[in-house]
Amino acid sequence: MINFKILIFIIFFVVEFVPKFNEAHPVSEEVADLVARLSPAVVNVFTTQENKSSSSQPRNQSPSPFDNIPPQFKDFFENLPPGFPFNNPNQNRDQNKPAPQALGSGFVIDKTGYIVTNQHVIAQANEIKVKFQNDKELKAKLIGQDKLTDLALLKVESKDDLPYVNFADSDKARVGHSVIAIGNPFGLGGTVTSGIISAFNRDINSGPYDSFIQTDASINKGNSGGPLFNIKGDVVGINSAIFSPTGGSVGIGFSIPANLAKPIIEQLKKYGKTQRGWLGVRIQEITPDIAKSLGLKKEEGVLISMVNPGEPAEKAGIQAGDVIIEFNKKKIKDVRSLQRIVAESAVSSSANVKVWRNKKLKNLTVKLGELEAFNNVAQSEEKNGNSNQSKAEIEIEKVGIRVKNIDQDLRTQYRIPSEINGAIITGVKNNSFAFAAGIKVGDVILQISQTNVKNAEDVEKILKKSINQNSESVLIQLFSNGFPRFVPLKLK
């Protein structure tokens, strides 16, 4: 016998719920609505650049940090295949005219027309244009750029207020959070891909402030400079590089975190350049052996290997051999954390520094300088001093080395930073004292026996004096493999 109550319930269920299965998936609708709201603020960035084959002008800008990253980490700044939007496949065009290229993406951050993109997207550009989703094109002015973080700020003029997006607090993002990338891969503007945040704090050796967000959202050449949105529609990162053995997306992309980008963008908007805090020291990681020798209970902080004369650290009493444990009450875990914290500190501000010296903690106060101002002075001194530098090598046969003053060619060849000065090793004799000490070609001598070295003549003078005084050895400070280090050099 049929139970009429059950039958009525079944009929009600079929009538009430089955039609809903034919409706669109609610999550898909939410994402589609989100994309429709965000897309108008995302732009294609394309430029005209001087034809490389016809250019007779030397490149006078320092290289982008992305010039030296490992080959499997691809930036997106490459010519696109013929036939894609903004590309000119006509092989017979005038080779002396600038070539239009579809280079990347960007996004509007306020209604007046400020646009964020990657620095390498607009590097060496003669003219910059942006194209909106409604095909509106506007000429863009470069407000400022920062090679160290690969960020650039553009400005367009529009009669009407422009759609814009906001930055997220990227420190609140978590691994597994959903993200959406919108950009211009291969010149195909308005492309939307999605994924999750895969990891944080990735270092791909592109620069001193590497702290990338890793994502599996599909991003390719042309997405560079475009936004990575969280599910709320705020920009959590700026897409900048991919890990790619093949050249295409394999699900490992890297984005500059919003919280790293925001202060840089504000500085570019206010000053047209960055203004980073500057200590004036060379630093290195704490190894287990170093920690043990210094009496540290664990591998914490960073070791000061050199203090630049006359710079803020020296004026504050910081010494070579000190270990910076805290900076403005923030624990220092490693070299990169100190670099970032100092760089984000205001120029001319006073910072409290806690150092470990002689197995005791010591508190110091340092008034920070400006990194960019230091670099400009160093470059100017180097430029003015080049004409007076000796081109000849000096051989110190007793220890088995040849040294030479650093000129621009040697600086470029051995990737010596502009702030490093001294004398470069151009030859090391086999089975010599220098060879036994591990000194090699390309090392720069900074100090000998705690005396600063300015040029090759200083090296010759100090070493010959030590040899004449019948010294057993001298302590040499070298700049080697990107870091200063001390080496004992036997003289007999």
Side-chain angles (χ1 to χ4, degrees):
M1 186 174 180
I2 300 174
N3 189 321
F4 285 99
K5 290 184 179 180
I6 295 176
L7 180 61
I8 292 171
F9 174 78
I10 293 172
I11 293 171
F12 174 79
F13 178 83
V14 172
V15 172
E16 183 66 20
F17 293 99
V18 168
K20 293 187 181 295
F21 295 142
N22 295 323
E23 294 179 6
H25 195 289
V27 174
S28 297
E29 285 298 305
E30 292 172 6
V31 173
D33 290 343
L34 181 65
V35 169
R37 175 168 66 86
L38 300 175
S39 292
V42 182
V43 299
N44 303 339
V45 180
F46 59 105
T47 75
T48 57
Q49 293 179 293
E50 187 175 0
N51 191 285
K52 293 180 181 179
S53 62
S54 64
S55 174
S56 60
Q57 296 298 322
R59 180 175 178 173
N60 55 14
Q61 291 182 325
S62 59
S64 163
F66 279 71
D67 291 344
N68 297 322
I69 62 176
Q72 66 269 32
F73 293 98
K74 305 288 185 180
D75 69 46
F76 306 117
F77 185 36
E78 299 183 25
N79 294 340
L80 300 175
F84 282 102
F86 314 130
N87 270 38
N88 186 357
N90 183 5
Q91 300 299 315
N92 296 320
R93 64 176 173 81
D94 186 348
Q95 294 297 312
N96 293 319
K97 290 183 179 180
Q101 299 180 54
L103 295 180
S105 309
F107 54 97
V108 185
I109 58 170
D110 76 2
K111 64 182 180 181
T112 66
Y114 283 102
I115 294 172
V116 174
T117 187
N118 279 149
Q119 187 274 335
H120 73 263
V121 167
I122 52 80
Q124 306 296 309
N126 295 334
E127 183 180 58
I128 306 169
K129 289 185 178 181
V130 300
K131 186 175 183 179
F132 290 80
Q133 301 295 320
N134 61 3
D135 290 332
K136 180 180 181 179
E137 289 187 15
L138 292 174
K139 188 174 181 179
K141 177 183 178 182
L142 177 61
I143 300 299
Q145 57 184 312
D146 179 41
K147 296 182 180 68
L148 294 181
T149 55
D150 195 29
L151 291 169
L153 183 65
L154 312 177
K155 181 72 164 62
V156 296
E157 300 297 333
S158 175
K159 295 180 181 178
D160 303 317
D161 290 347
L162 294 174
Y164 65 95
V165 291
N166 298 310
F167 281 111
D169 181 353
S170 57
D171 289 342
K172 293 183 178 179
R174 298 174 60 195
V175 172
H177 276 178
S178 296
V179 287
I180 297 170
I182 304 178
N184 181 33
F186 301 107
L188 300 171
T191 298
V192 181
T193 56
S194 65
I196 62 169
I197 292 175
S198 305
F200 290 99
N201 303 317
R202 291 305 197 201
D203 179 1
I204 63 172
N205 296 316
S206 71
Y209 308 114
D210 276 16
S211 184
F212 287 97
I213 295 172
Q214 181 183 329
T215 179
D216 68 349
S218 181
I219 50 180
N220 289 281
K221 299 170 187 175
N223 276 110
S224 193
L228 187 71
F229 293 106
N230 62 21
I231 207 65
K232 294 180 180 179
D234 295 327
V235 179
V236 72
I238 299 106
N239 299 321
S240 295
I242 58 175
F243 176 88
S244 179
T246 64
S249 174
V250 294
I252 300 179
F254 300 97
S255 299
I256 302 166
N259 284 8
L260 189 154
K262 282 186 285 188
I264 301 298
I265 297 304
E266 286 303 313
Q267 288 183 11
L268 295 179
K269 183 186 291 188
K270 187 173 182 179
Y271 306 112
K273 64 173 187 176
T274 55
Q275 289 190 333
R276 291 185 171 91
W278 169 244
L279 268 179
V281 296
R282 303 297 297 182
I283 54 181
Q284 65 187 72
E285 302 285 4
I286 298 291
T287 65
D289 288 340
I290 290 176
K292 185 177 180 180
S293 66
L294 293 174
L296 289 168
K297 294 181 180 179
K298 55 183 178 179
E299 300 162 44
E300 60 180 353
V302 297
L303 177 65
I304 305 296
S305 57
M306 184 178 75
V307 178
N308 292 352
E311 295 298 327
E314 186 191 53
K315 293 176 181 178
I318 294 175
Q319 301 175 5
D322 287 349
V323 177
I324 296 182
I325 303 294
E326 287 186 12
F327 189 91
N328 275 342
K329 298 183 179 180
K330 295 180 181 178
K331 291 284 186 181
I332 301 302
K333 298 178 181 179
D334 51 29
V335 164
R336 196 165 295 276
S337 67
L338 180 63
Q339 287 176 325
R340 182 172 174 180
I341 291 171
V342 172
E344 291 175 350
S345 301
V347 174
S348 298
S349 66
S350 293
N352 297 315
V353 183
K354 185 178 288 186
V355 302
W356 180 257
R357 181 189 298 172
N358 297 327
K359 299 183 179 181
K360 294 181 180 179
L361 288 174
K362 187 177 182 66
N363 291 299
L364 300 170
T365 301
V366 57
K367 184 177 180 181
L368 297 176
E370 181 184 343
L371 174 61
E372 290 77 7
F374 171 81
N375 286 340
N376 289 338
V377 170
Q379 290 170 5
S380 176
E381 290 177 350
E382 177 187 317
K383 182 178 179 181
N384 294 333
N386 276 346
S387 59
N388 297 323
Q389 288 183 342
S390 169
K391 300 296 182 181
E393 292 178 315
I394 295 176
E395 183 172 357
I396 297 93
E397 187 175 356
K398 177 74 173 180
V399 296
I401 60 171
R402 291 196 307 270
V403 292
K404 188 176 182 180
N405 292 351
I406 303 173
D407 57 29
Q408 189 56 48
D409 289 339
L410 290 170
R411 193 176 290 280
T412 301
Q413 180 181 354
Y414 292 104
R415 296 182 180 178
I416 303 168
S418 59
E419 67 270 21
I420 297 299
N421 295 293
I424 188 168
I425 304 290
T426 55
V428 178
K429 186 182 296 184
N430 287 338
N431 301 319
S432 64
F433 290 132
F435 183 85
I439 296 173
K440 62 185 185 299
V441 172
D443 288 349
V444 178
I445 299 178
L446 306 175
Q447 281 186 6
I448 303 176
S449 299
Q450 298 183 315
T451 301
N452 290 333
V453 168
K454 297 179 181 179
N455 49 44
E457 288 78 9
D458 284 350
V459 174
E460 182 182 38
K461 179 181 177 181
I462 298 170
L463 285 179
K464 283 189 174 180
K465 181 179 179 180
S466 298
I467 292 168
N468 292 336
Q469 290 176 345
N470 205 29
S471 300
E472 291 279 344
S473 64
V474 292
L475 187 64
I476 293 184
Q477 187 184 31
L478 300 172
F479 181 82
S480 178
N481 295 325
F483 294 97
R485 64 186 178 98
F486 288 98
V487 174
L489 175 63
K490 292 182 178 180
L491 299 180
K492 60 180 182 179

